[in-house]
Amino acid sequence: MSSPVLEIRDLRVVFTGPRRSLRGGRTVVQAVAGVDLDVRAKETLALVGESGSGKSTVARCVLGLVRPQAGTVTYEGRALGPVDKRPAEVQRAIQMVFQDPGSSLNPRMTVGAIIREAWKVHPAVAPEGDRRQALADVLADVGLDAGVAGRRPSALSGGQRQRVSIARALALRPRLLVCDEAVSALDVSVQSQILRLLVDLRRTHDLSVLFITHDLAVVRQIADRVAVMRTGELVECATAEQLFTAPAHPYTRGLLSAAHDLEGTRAGFEHTREQIR
Amino acid sequence: ACSSSDDPASETGDSVAAGGDLTVAGPIPIENLDPHGPASMDAGTQLAARAIFSQLVVSTGSGEFEGELAESWEPNADASEWTFTLREGVEFSDGTPVTAADVVASFERVLAGEGPLAGNFGGYTVAAPDESTVVFTSAAPDAAFLGKISSFFVTPQAAAEAGFFQEPIGSGPFVVESFEPGATLRLTPNAGYWDGEPALDSLEFQSIPEVAARMTALQTGEVDVTWSMPDDQIAALKSDSDLTVETVPSPGVLTMWMNGSTPALQDPAVRRALWQAVDFEAIIASLYPETGTPADSPISPAVLGYAPQEPVEYDPEAAKAALDAAGFDYGTVIRWQFSQANFRNFVDAVVSDLADIGVTVEPQEKEQAVFLEDLLALNWDMNLQQLGSQGYDAATNLGRLYTCEANRMGYCNEDLDRILAEAGSTSDTAQREELYAQAIEIIWNDGVGMYPMFVEQPYAWRSGVEGFEPVSDGVPYFDEVTVSGD
Amino acid sequence: MTQSDILLTEAAPGPAAPPGPRRRRRPLSAIPYVIIGIYVLAAAIGPFLIDYDPVATEVTERLLPPGSATGSGTAWLGTDAVGRDVLAQVVYGARTSFIIGISVVALCGLIGVALGAIAGYSGGLSDAVISRTVDILMAFPGILLAIVIAGLLERGMNVVIIALSVGGWVGFARLSRSITMSTRERDWVDAARIMGLSKSATLTRHIVPFLTGSVVALATIELASAVLSEAALSFLGLGLPPHIVSWGQAIAGGREHLGTAWWITVFPGIALTVLVICIGLVGDRLTRRFTRQRD
Amino acid sequence: MTDQHSATVVAPAAGDPAPAPGAPLLRVEDLEVVLPSGATTGTVIDKVSFAVDAGRTTGLIGESGSGKTMSAMSIVGLLPPEAVTSGRVTWRSEDLLTAAPRRLRQVRGREIGVIFQDPLAALNPIQTVGRQIGEILRRGGMARQQVRVRVLELLDRVGIPDPDQRIDVYPHELSGGMRQRVMIAMALAGEPQLIIADEPTTALDVTTQARILRLLADLREQEHLALLLVSHDLRVMAHVADDVVVMYAGRVAERGPAREVLERPRHPYTRALANNVPAVSTRSAIAEPLQGAPANPFERPAGCAFHPRCPLAQDRCRTEVPVLREVEPGRFSACHRAEEVLP
Amino acid sequence: MSYFVIKRLAIGLLTIWGVVTAVFVVVRLAPGDQATVALGPDATPAELEALRSSLGLDRPLPLQYLSYLGDVVRLDFGESYRFGRPAMDQVIERFPATVQLTLAATAMAIVFGLILGVVAGKKPGSALDRAVSTVALGLQALPPFWVGIMFILIFALQLQVLPSAGGGSLANLVLPAVTLSIPFTALVARMTRSGVAETMSEAFVLTARSKGLTETQVLTGHVVKNSLIPVVTVVGLQVGTLLGGAVIIETVFAWPGLGSLLVGAVGNRDYAVVQAATVLIGLCVIVLNLAADIVNAKLDPRIRLEARR
Ligand SMILES: Nc1ncnc2c1ncn2[C@@H]1O[C@H](COP(=O)(O)OP(=O)(O)OP(=O)(O)O)[C@@H](O)[C@H]1O
Ligand SMILES: Nc1ncnc2c1ncn2[C@@H]1O[C@H](COP(=O)(O)OP(=O)(O)OP(=O)(O)O)[C@@H](O)[C@H]1O
Ligand SMILES: [Mg+2]
Ligand SMILES: [Mg+2]
Ligand code: NI
């Protein structure tokens, strides 16, 4: 097995709320309570769990947007601090795709400006001269034509915005892509487009992906390994096959059965699918 | 206890029937009742003091005085020692008699005090050889002492105690019923007043700073008496048949000193030329039709020492010629400071006339405290004030302000100094008048300042008010007033 | 400062909603712009058309009612207490009022936005310091500052501008701070940070642009209130020196003649009120536009 | 979970106050909603027809912006004020579109209850949940004490533990699932015959989703309710709906019994949707996605709105708007080539 | 809650200290001092010096500041030289008049402002809304002193229905309170309008309608209270500002309040009164803001008191 790109050890994050009374102490949310996680080279690791279980917080720690109370995040053997303290090369190597395509792009900037901004910070990635070509390339990578470069996010559909979001991340040639609910806000028909794009990109760009979602069905489609979180703790971590066929932890079993429950007329869908092929 | 020399008994008998509640709104709020303290020279404090306390003497016009607590007084030969004999049987409103010791204590309070009155009595000591005699001794001769002491009020010795002026005891015609500093002062008659109990049932002083409101209050009858109205309001008041409007000559003179230490204004010829360049007659006729008359002296006719001079005629051509001849630099900007907003129109008009002959004057309206500081620091080229003469005596104006030592307007003339010193050290009135006439001639001809206008004091009262007598210094008395019909 | 709260209620940028249906243009909606245009024109070129020397007075022609003939023509709007033409004062006053209003707003806006954005973005100590300063200024009677500043400096336009600005930036700071705090949470800001953009670049490129809408809207309101405050200062005798013509001066100067010579105050007053209403209407519209269709 | 499936085939309960046997409780016919947008107006809902039978569940399905919410809300007249409607909404035997506002207010809550998508936004944040649930009863003149008893009953009915305590809390103090239960209790308070549920589970976790859906199914059965369920989630639909209406860009694409429509779609759009649903139970490859983005009703393509994305599109589809037609008994499809969707 | 109050009071104390310091610096920066004003135009330099040293004004500023701070801590604001009595006494004496005026104006502003705001905000963009908004703007644009004097001329002089000036009675209160409340009413109306308009688009309003409530019931039951938070905040702030800022109205109507006292005291360089008045006003502003926050927390259970601004 390939060695881990990213290692998370005993990560702990506590959010302190306001104090209620003088002696009452603060309300404390233990968002992440000791998580150990590895992301290996070129694999897709899915992080699942119900709302509030701390998935996003783990992601934000990886990116250095949240400072953990304890624990380490190591990238290729180097311990990582807050995002603005990281060496440029690490900043470049870890990128993120957000959930809401409507809010992850600065609405005042054109698509071209959004992507070029990345190169302003890391000029080495795309030398001054061939940025135009580089821009066209990266847009092509995510299936957009060069014409959208002049448009603002508001003039794009949700799926297109999410592609721009991915292009912005890819522009820096990252090694690790963190996707926090990257497809949850999209329409069903568009969701498959983006998932497929992600799967393709991972192959062509040799990416490792940390894929956060609460949709087990999606996980089943794309993940190599799955980590299940619950109230800040990791309850189970296994290969996708193992997890879906023989879940070890009762909580995982509960999640799976709820998902099954919703599957309803599963047979109907299968039937349809067969017909199409 | 003002100027009236009528039989007090008949006054009293007459007024008991009339009585009434009088409401008075002066232009200045009454903030403090202490006639010895920092606010002692405030018009508001003086107004209240005249109702609550008694003076030794009251000045009734140029060089004339009337005894109030003092029955008689006598200066020594060089006017450096003044002996007062107190009236018998005068009591404070709490029944204790007014004694020489009270006078001494009051005077010492003034000297120790931190107010503007103290400056008048530098080098004075006071003593009470017996119950009813008080002797004031000065280091230097002081012929104008009577004028100065007329702003002095006698309080009980208890005045030194904290809180006394919340409910003061005095020997004046009224006693304090309630006092909201800066807002209202309510008074009731002093039954034991030596000159007869005032006829009014009550007297209330209100503060209404905004002119429009004050005029309205008078017209609607919320207020019975007011004074110091701007000229533009007087016409409207005159047309109201319920009101009596009267103006009386006052000691006030509009005074525009020119700073003799400013290079551009050093030359008397320049100063005179500037004076000539302003059509004061037209300005006064338009802006002050009611209360202004063109002046012919730096002090008013109501003041001892007044001597009329040749008026300075408006002649812009001559003025320009004189300025050219004196080599006046038209590039200079003359900074003209003043502090009262009601001078604005006047200032604008004068500036306009001077601009017509090419002289640039920059009006500087300053806040009172800033104005005062700059005034003393001679931080101005031209200054505008309405100057009075305390006690109707030129000594308190000319004698104090125009000496080289005082250096109040950058002007120094040894001849003038000598004349003023001489006038200050004799108690012979005729001689003093003669000396002041000389002084005035020098001041006038040297153009130490422009003296455009004598100011009259306007009063207005409602028709029910009887026995009100306007006084020239704008601080009236109310002990003989009655009001009816409201 | 309280004006900013109107904006605060609407200001926090909501999720970039699909651009809602745009309101149809009403022909009337152009009126405020037209009127403001007329004012600006009057302020800019009026002085070249109407000859007026604020220093020159004509005391014999004082307090003439509108339409009176004077030595130098007809006083269409009457004359003031020293015989100056009221119409000319209205026209010349426009320039002063604009200069004061715009300077105050520019000064307050720059300071307020800078401090508010820094406080909102950095949090921590700088936020605490700026917030406490704002608290103190809000608990401090503004009139006192104005008086002291007017006393400290030689009377003039710059004093009025400074006196009005000292407390005026607080509103901008509060507004900017609260919008910054909510914009800071937006994903595109995180995205910028992730790619390693510096703090100052993040602030200027990804946050400050989102302040402009509300800040411009607040600025229009503050512009109106600055013009009004200048009048109030004049009333207290702390306003402009006499040789600078302004509406505030004119209104304050005519108050003793309200009963007899109403035209001195009423015409500049109308000029001021109409301008304030128009600026306010434009401000309202900008507020609405920038808060609803934030994209 | 076959037990759940059985709920979908329960027959209308006897004694249900349905107007005429066989006649649907609610019939929407040729509904059109026109909304102004900028200088133009858009026909957001274009000739939509469907029905809800007493005691049954009709599902409205489609992607975001396809007009599900608009169709549902026009039934009770809760559209934006600038919306212009036409067509007929027959509730029992009266037309609600032309009904007097007063009558419409009587219908709302008491005859037709509504459950909204985002329970946090749809609950008044500054009133206790008890107050909000009881409001309709209080306005109906019920005594305060009785209202409280009834609200407690309702809370219990929707499965909120410790109703005694929960009755006095504010919405933000509850979890998402609890809030949705409160919404449901509120909709039940007026004892309606029909409940319109607009995406009742979208904002919730998988586990909670399942529980809420089960609750709705139970209620429908026990309270003899009809249910109009709006959702974009095919799995949800398949789980609870008896009939489904598939919408695309403001028009009905396909309509028919849920099971049949989802198993044997007669419209390429439905087929694509069904195709794109991933499964937990088996590992499936990512299906070939539909190209392009959903059509916007304001800029609806000419002809069949779906044609730009349709693998079966022909020239005819680009010009001619397909009408909704019965392609086999009980099955309606608005595709020119409906017969070819299934070979 | 108690912790919140304590924390806010601590911040309040800090703010008061800031105000105290600022006022000290500011009044001493101003040219001219107590001695200049007290002694008037006839003072000699020697007299000025003597008075300054007896008042302690010649000591180095830091020393003066420390002793002043010490006095303030002991709640001793010194003696007013103008009024010849403890400065705080004078300030407290004027306080009730100010409170009366402010409360009356605030009450009017709230009542009329709320009504106007609700009427306008209930149908945003309607003719009524635009009319009310324009009127509100117009009201905000009226110079208060102009309004005040016009009121005097109309109601006192022409109609003779109300007294023109002075304090004390209820009749005296009417004109100044109305004048003061005009711009405030406009502000409350505008705030309420925007709050109501925004609340009208909230989802829970739709919920309320779906229960069959009439528009009035929806408005009173679900909209108005929910849109009050910014209004309360502004009222809290504005009332504080009014306390010290009503100078012009107090001057016009001769209303014996704190504003005119403060302005007079600044003019006379009566440091003690300036400082006492400023501290009292600052205290009120702080307390009112606290009160507004508490009211808001009562209005909206979601507001956890600490999470302010
Ligand atoms: N900035 C913050 N301040 C305080 N608490 C926070 C903050 N961010 C997250 N939390 C809390 O931390 C916990 C974990 O949140 P997190 O966003 O990581 O969950 P999640 O698994 O991503 O949930 P979701 O599926 O809803 O996105 C939650 O209880 C949340 O309320
Ligand atoms: N208030 C409104 N004003 C104008 N257009 C609106 C309004 N609300 C919705 N629309 C438009 O009407 C169309 C149908 O909207 P509707 O809310 O019915 O869609 P939906 O199917 O419910 O979508 P979702 O799944 O996102 O809820 C959309 O194009 C939408 O943009
Ligand atoms: Mg998350
Ligand atoms: Mg919807
Ligand atoms: Ni099953």
Side-chain angles (χ1 to χ4, degrees), chain C residues 21, chain D residues 35 44 63-70 80 82 117 199 297-298:
Chain D
L35 268 178
V44 214
E63 285 174 291
S64 180
S66 57
K68 308 180 293 290
T69 303
M70 284 281 160
E82 63 269 25
Q117 171 167 4
E199 315 243 12
F298 289 97

Side-chain angles (χ1 to χ4, degrees), chain B residues 125-431:
Chain B
T125 55
V126 63
D130 63 50
E131 274 282 279
S132 61
T133 312
V134 185
V135 181
F136 297 90
T137 317
S138 165
D142 187 4
F145 180 72
L146 278 185
K148 296 177 183 171
I149 204 74
S150 65
S151 304
F152 167 68
F153 291 86
V154 176
T155 62
Q157 291 165 56
E161 291 164 14
F164 173 83
F165 288 101
Q166 252 71 4
E167 280 172 61
I169 307 278
S171 57
F174 294 94
V175 292
V176 176
E177 185 187 285
S178 71
F179 177 44
E180 281 174 58
T184 33
L185 172 63
R186 280 197 196 83
L187 302 170
T188 49
N190 176 3
Y193 184 50
W194 64 271
D195 202 14
E197 182 184 355
L200 287 173
D201 294 331
S202 74
L203 172 62
E204 178 172 326
F205 292 113
Q206 274 190 1
S207 152
I208 308 184
E210 181 64 22
V211 171
R214 188 149 54 94
M215 297 306 116
T216 303
L218 179 69
Q219 284 170 283
T220 58
E222 291 163 67
V223 161
D224 299 307
V225 183
T226 190
W227 59 96
S228 290
M229 306 84 78
D231 279 66
D232 287 326
Q233 306 288 339
I234 293 177
L237 297 185
K238 275 184 166 168
S239 66
D240 188 331
S241 59
D242 287 338
L243 301 178
T244 311
V245 182
E246 227 178 72
T247 56
V248 294
S250 85
V253 181
L254 221 51
T255 303
M256 298 159 60
W257 288 335
M258 285 176 273
N259 188 342
S261 60
T262 298
L265 298 176
Q266 253 164 2
D267 187 350
V270 169
R271 303 198 292 258
R272 291 280 298 193
L274 293 178
W275 192 349
Q276 229 177 355
V278 184
D279 187 0
F280 282 117
E281 208 162 319
I283 294 175
I284 292 167
S286 312
L287 296 182
Y288 302 105
E290 308 287 342
T291 63
T293 45
D296 55 4
S297 162
I299 53 174
S300 112
V303 172
L304 181 135
Y306 164 75
Q309 305 294 312
E310 176 87 1
V312 178
E313 291 294 334
Y314 171 57
D315 188 346
E317 272 88 53
K320 182 119 178 77
L323 285 181
D324 293 342
F328 180 77
D329 172 10
Y330 287 95
T332 7
V333 174
I334 296 174
R335 298 167 301 149
W336 187 13
Q337 73 157 5
F338 65 104
S339 74
Q340 278 161 285
N342 54 1
F343 285 145
R344 269 186 213 165
N345 289 345
F346 177 80
V347 168
D348 285 351
V350 173
V351 169
S352 169
D353 279 2
L354 287 171
D356 282 346
I357 61 157
V359 177
T360 313
V361 177
E362 186 198 323
Q364 297 186 334
E365 185 179 340
K366 294 176 180 171
E367 200 212 347
Q368 178 76 3
V370 183
F371 171 82
L372 287 174
E373 185 160 274
D374 286 348
L375 176 68
L376 298 180
L378 286 181
N379 188 15
W380 45 273
D381 302 323
M382 206 150 85
N383 178 61
L384 176 62
Q385 267 177 298
Q386 179 180 324
L387 275 184
S389 302
Q390 203 194 335
Y392 303 93
D393 192 320
T396 57
N397 181 331
L398 305 183
R400 220 159 32 88
L401 303 172
Y402 287 77
T403 62
C404 291
E405 196 201 346
N407 190 23
R408 296 302 297 276
M409 63 293 282
Y411 174 82
C412 176
N413 181 332
E414 266 134 39
D415 291 341
L416 181 62
D417 257 21
R418 198 168 19 78
I419 295 168
L420 290 174
E422 203 176 325
S425 59
T426 171
S427 53
D428 175 19
T429 307
Q431 200 187 341

Side-chain angles (χ1 to χ4, degrees), chain B residues 32 42 166 181 367 400 408, chain E residues 41-42 82 85 93 269:
Chain B
N32 193 331
D42 264 34
Q166 252 71 4
E367 200 212 347
R400 220 159 32 88
R408 296 302 297 276
Chain E
D42 294 342
R82 289 292 293 180
R85 55 195 296 217
E93 194 176 294
R269 301 292 185 270

Side-chain angles (χ1 to χ4, degrees), chain A residues 260-265, chain D residues 1-5 239:
Chain A
H260 272 296
D261 235 14
L262 282 177
E263 222 113 276
T265 51
Chain D
M1 307 289 136
T2 32
D3 50 334
Q4 284 301 312
H5 307 161
H239 206 67

Side-chain angles (χ1 to χ4, degrees), chain C residues 4-5 7-8 11-13 108-121 127 130 134 169-184 203 207-208 210-212 214-216 218:
Chain C
S4 66
D5 294 290
L7 295 161
L8 282 179
C108 293
L110 281 179
I111 300 172
V113 169
L115 291 182
I118 290 171
Y121 187 66
D127 184 24
I130 292 169
V134 166
W169 62 270
V170 168
F172 286 95
R174 273 166 55 106
L175 180 69
S176 309
R177 178 175 176 273
S178 89
I179 300 181
T180 303
M181 280 174 67
S182 54
T183 312
R184 184 180 64 174
L203 199 56
I207 292 180
V208 171
F210 297 89
L211 301 176
T212 43
S214 305
V215 166
V216 165
L218 176 62

